[in-house]
Each structure stands twice: as C-alpha cells, then as structure tokens.
Amino acid sequence: MNSILDLLIWKYLWVFSLEGKVKEKIHDAFWDHLKQQISATPPDFSCALELLKEIKEILLSLLSPRQNRLRSEIEEALDMDLLGREAERGDLHVPHLSKRVLNMVTLLCAPVRDEAVQKLENVADPICLLRGIFHVLGLMKMDMVNYTIQSLQPHLQEHSIQHERAKFQELLNKQPRLLDHTTKWLTRAAADLTTLPPAGPDAPNSSSVACPSPNEAANRPEPVSPAMVLSQGFLNLLLWDPENEEFPETLLRDRVRLQELESQLRQLTVLAAVLLVASSFSGSVLFGSPQFVDKLKRIAKAHMEEFHSRPEEAMLTVSEQVSQEMHQSLKSMGLAALSSDNTASLIGQLRSIAKEENCVRSVIDQRIHLFLKCCLVRGVQRSLLDLPGGLTLIEAELAELGQKFVNLKNHNQQVFGPYYTEILKTLIPPSQAPEAEGASL
C-alpha cells in the first residue's frame, strides 16, 4: 500500500516539477523572442506593446478608487494609442518606458516589496528590467488578493456566526429541549466555582479557581460572573468522560477539535514532566542550551503515540534515551557524567511518569490547566508572562495550545452567547453577579 502511495506521490511531484520547468522554458522563450524583436532592423514592437498593455492593466487594477492622480499618470505614461504610433515610426523608447514603469511600481508597492524593487533600479538591460517588473507586479497582485481576503475576513466571520446561529435556532424550534445538556454543563461549571474554596496552583482543584497572579499574597473569593462560569465550563470539557453522552449540544461540532486539544494537553503534560525531572539532575548546566532541550523534546515527542497505548514501554525507552543524551552532552562539555546511582534514579523517576498518579505529572497537569484558565481570562500573551513553575521549557507549545483553545472558545461564544446568557441568568443570582459586569457575555 505504501509503495503504491509513494509511487503516486512521486508521479505527482514529477508532473508538477515538469510543469514548472515547461512554464519556465516558455517564459524564457518569450523574453528571448521579445529581445530579438526589439533588436531587429527595423525593430518589431508588437510583443512589447502587448506587454506594456498588460502592465498598464495590472497597474490600474492595483489602484484604489481615490488614487486619481496616479491613475492619470499611468494613463498618460502608457497611452497605448500614442505608443502604437511611436512603434509604427520605429522610435518606441523601451528603456525609457521601462524606467517610467518602475517608478510607478515604486509608488504602488507595499514596503515588503521595496527590496525587490530596489534591486531592479540597478538593472540596465531594458528586457531584463521589464521581466523583473513583471515578476514584482505578480507579487503585488498576490499582495492585493491577500489584503482583500484579510479585509473581508471579519465580514465573512460574522456571516458564518449568524448562519451557524440561525441553523441552530431552526433545530431548537423543532426540539425545545435541545439545550438540556448545555444547561447541565453550565450548571456543573457554576457549581465548581461556587462550592469549591479557592485553592493554590497545585491544589487538586486548581482549575476551578479564578486565574491568580503569582504576585498575589493570598487568594480571595471573587464574585461569580457569567464569563467565569463559561470559562470553567470550557476547562471541564478538557476533562470530559468519553462515556458521558450528555455532551453540550452547542459544542457537538467542536467535539473532535476539543478531543485533539485534550490529547495535545496530555502530551504536553508528559513532555513537561520529562523535562522537569531531567533538569533536576543537571540544572542549567545542560538545560541552559536550547539545542539540548530541543533534543530531549524530540526524544519524548517521538514516543507520544506509543505512550497513549503502552505508557510503561514508551517511558522505558524515553528514560534510557534521555539518560544517554545527558551522559553524552556532559561528556562533550568535559564535565563529570552522572553517577550510577543518579543515573538509576533518573531512569526510575522518568519511568514512573507512566503512572497517572505520578506526583510530577499531576502537578504539571494542574499547572497547564491553570495556564489555560488564565488564557481564557487574560489572553495568551499576558498568561505567558506569568507561567507557573515547570512550564517555561514548553512555552512555545503552550502558546500554540492556548491560542487554539481560546480561538475555539471565542468562536463558540460568539455563536451561542445569547443562549448561554439566558441559561446563566437562571444559575447566577443577581446578588452574586459582579456589578461591573452585565448579565450578558
């Protein structure tokens, strides 16, 4: 099966490569033909005129409706009737036109294309200059397409939100009890916040507290708000029992993505636990090197799939490879290797990470949940400034996970926010809701 797939991929790449080579050959032939026409006696400007006409159309397409002055300059510089008469007389000045076109491109291009345009200023050959201009214009067209897409994105997103909400409302009209599981989900989240006392970052229920700042001297109870309940609800989804069929109806379309995030969270928990245990045996001597940390990350990540089904076997392999990598790195630095006792202790502690009740793994799991809660409350970037201990070595991975989680929650809230607001009104008494925050999300 793999050999057939490899053959198909190879054929596709070969055809794609061949197509690119053919296209390049055709372009080369065109520019060679253009040069021959202009250099002939008498010169033939038919291809040059067609090229200048296309350049003019591209330049005009890049203008905004308000750029009337530049539009007039382009129309004047590339007046095709005038250029056609000059070509008939044989005195079409291609080098001069090329420089004028380059000046107009300079006025229109985005800063990201300045370097490419500056390189063209030193090109003396008019054909090479026109070819370079045509290439830059192609890049500018792509810039314009990307800008248009970005400018339309908020409108498309809003349309998507309204469409998704309308479709759900149609189902709700037919099935009035469609929000029963969603109500239970939010009810549990509210109970988690109101019945459990505030705890420190490493307490068993640290994911159920408001996001604290590490600089706070002590935790203090906060009034429960709709936003806090919803954030707690999303955190609970990362701990969802697969056998529990009462999954919130408003999140059924996101269930696969949430499962992927949950899997990524478990992998990061193991990864951070491995790095934390290993660093306790060498400190900054080895872990001050980003290259060394990346090596250990690659070792751990390579066995994550196996860890899911056979955690003991996976951690045995990881522990041996990590120990060997540390030994070789210390040796290459001219430092004493770990003693046999320390090596045995390192391997033993790494292997114990396979157990769900492992204390290091449990603490890391609680701290990652706390980080994700902070992401929902304060945003990813601010949360990265106050990473709980033991997570700094996986900062990049946490940032990716946190952003995915926040994006999923924000989109879902934009779609189903009105439904959540109505449900939460029944769960949070007005006397408990913070005065500064309205009833809606």
Side-chain angles (χ1 to χ4, degrees):
M1 183 68 179
N2 288 337
S3 60
I4 295 176
L5 179 60
D6 291 340
L7 180 61
L8 290 174
I9 293 174
W10 183 86
K11 285 184 176 180
Y12 172 78
L13 293 175
W14 182 82
V15 171
F16 185 78
S17 176
L18 180 62
E19 181 182 350
K21 290 179 181 178
V22 170
K23 188 176 180 180
E24 184 179 353
K25 290 290 185 182
I26 293 174
H27 285 185
D28 289 340
F30 169 79
W31 293 106
D32 290 341
H33 180 64
L34 176 63
K35 190 170 187 176
Q36 291 173 2
Q37 280 191 332
I38 295 177
S39 303
T41 305
D44 181 357
F45 294 112
S46 56
C47 281
L49 287 173
E50 289 297 322
L51 182 65
L52 290 170
K53 180 181 179 181
E54 188 167 353
I55 288 176
K56 177 182 178 181
E57 291 174 354
I58 295 174
L59 287 172
L60 292 174
S61 71
L62 295 173
L63 295 176
S64 67
R66 297 182 179 180
Q67 292 179 295
N68 295 323
R69 181 177 178 181
L70 193 51
R71 186 182 303 275
S72 299
E73 291 181 12
I74 294 173
E75 292 284 3
E76 180 183 351
L78 297 175
D79 184 338
M80 299 313 300
D81 291 336
L82 177 60
L83 296 179
R85 290 193 294 271
E86 291 179 358
E88 290 177 0
R89 296 195 302 267
D91 56 1
L92 185 68
H93 202 280
V94 176
H96 174 70
L97 284 170
S98 301
K99 289 295 182 181
R100 289 197 68 178
V101 170
L102 180 61
N103 291 336
M104 290 182 283
V105 170
T106 303
L107 295 174
L108 280 172
C109 73
V112 70
R113 305 299 173 199
D114 285 347
E115 183 178 353
V117 173
Q118 288 174 0
K119 290 181 180 179
L120 294 179
E121 293 176 354
N122 300 320
V123 177
D125 183 84
I127 304 303
C128 292
L129 179 56
L130 281 174
R131 185 170 188 173
I133 289 172
F134 211 76
H135 174 70
V136 172
L137 286 174
L139 297 177
M140 291 170 64
K141 286 173 65 177
M142 289 304 302
D143 294 338
M144 178 61 71
V145 171
N146 292 333
Y147 172 78
T148 303
I149 292 174
Q150 290 176 2
S151 62
L152 290 175
Q153 192 169 6
H155 304 287
L156 296 174
Q157 185 175 4
E158 179 62 26
H159 176 76
S160 173
I161 290 169
Q162 297 297 336
H163 176 75
E164 193 172 344
R165 186 186 299 161
K167 288 295 183 182
F168 185 82
Q169 184 62 49
E170 290 179 9
L171 292 174
L172 186 60
N173 292 338
K174 298 176 183 178
Q175 306 175 47
R177 299 181 63 88
L178 188 59
L179 287 170
D180 283 2
H181 294 166
T182 301
T183 302
K184 289 182 180 179
W185 164 60
L186 291 176
T187 301
R188 179 193 167 191
D192 288 344
L193 291 172
T194 55
T195 61
L196 294 173
D202 298 332
N205 294 299
S206 63
S207 64
S208 300
V209 301
C211 177
S213 168
N215 298 322
E216 289 179 345
N219 291 309
R220 56 179 178 271
E222 295 186 33
V224 176
S225 69
M228 289 171 60
V229 174
L230 189 60
S231 295
Q232 182 62 41
F234 271 86
L235 281 173
N236 290 346
L237 292 172
L238 297 177
L239 301 170
W240 196 267
D241 182 359
E243 296 182 1
N244 185 351
E245 295 299 327
E246 296 185 348
F247 199 80
E249 299 90 348
T250 55
L251 282 143
L252 287 174
R253 293 184 61 181
D254 294 318
R255 189 167 191 176
V256 173
R257 293 177 61 198
L258 283 164
Q259 290 172 343
E260 292 172 353
L261 292 177
E262 181 185 0
S263 175
Q264 189 176 349
L265 187 153
R266 288 197 304 267
Q267 292 179 9
L268 288 185
T269 299
V270 174
L271 175 62
V274 168
L275 296 175
L276 185 59
V277 168
S279 66
S280 67
F281 284 84
S282 69
S284 60
V285 174
L286 294 179
F287 282 78
S289 166
Q291 292 78 11
F292 176 78
V293 174
D294 286 341
K295 286 182 181 179
L296 294 197
K297 284 184 178 181
R298 286 195 294 271
I299 291 173
K301 290 178 179 179
H303 297 86
M304 284 303 172
E305 289 298 327
E306 184 185 7
F307 184 90
H308 180 68
S309 56
R310 299 184 299 171
E312 291 81 7
E313 290 85 344
M315 287 313 304
L316 174 59
T317 305
V318 169
S319 62
E320 292 174 347
Q321 292 184 5
V322 168
S323 173
Q324 183 179 6
E325 187 62 43
M326 291 179 66
H327 176 80
Q328 292 177 348
S329 297
L330 288 170
K331 185 178 179 180
S332 66
M333 296 173 66
L335 300 173
L338 296 178
S339 66
S340 57
D341 289 343
N342 281 341
T343 300
S345 178
L346 169 64
I347 292 176
Q349 290 186 39
L350 288 174
R351 291 184 64 181
S352 68
I353 293 174
K355 302 176 182 178
E356 290 188 12
E357 65 272 15
N358 176 263
C359 60
V360 176
R361 183 173 161 185
S362 297
V363 168
I364 292 296
D365 180 70
Q366 293 156 13
R367 291 179 178 179
I368 291 180
H369 277 86
L370 177 62
F371 167 76
L372 292 175
K373 178 109 183 196
C374 289
C375 288
L376 296 180
V377 175
R378 301 188 299 180
V380 176
Q381 295 306 315
R382 287 184 61 192
S383 301
L384 289 172
L385 298 176
D386 285 321
L387 274 180
L391 302 185
T392 54
L393 293 176
I394 59 166
E395 180 177 344
E397 292 85 354
L398 281 177
E400 179 185 354
L401 174 65
Q403 195 60 61
K404 288 180 180 178
F405 190 45
V406 169
N407 290 345
L408 187 150
K409 183 254 186 185
N410 287 345
H411 178 78
N412 181 269
Q413 181 178 337
Q414 286 178 308
V415 175
F416 300 104
Y419 304 106
Y420 296 150
T421 296
E422 292 304 312
I423 294 172
L424 290 169
K425 283 180 181 179
T426 67
L427 300 178
I428 305 176
S431 59
Q432 290 187 21
E435 296 180 3
E437 184 172 359
S440 62
L441 289 166

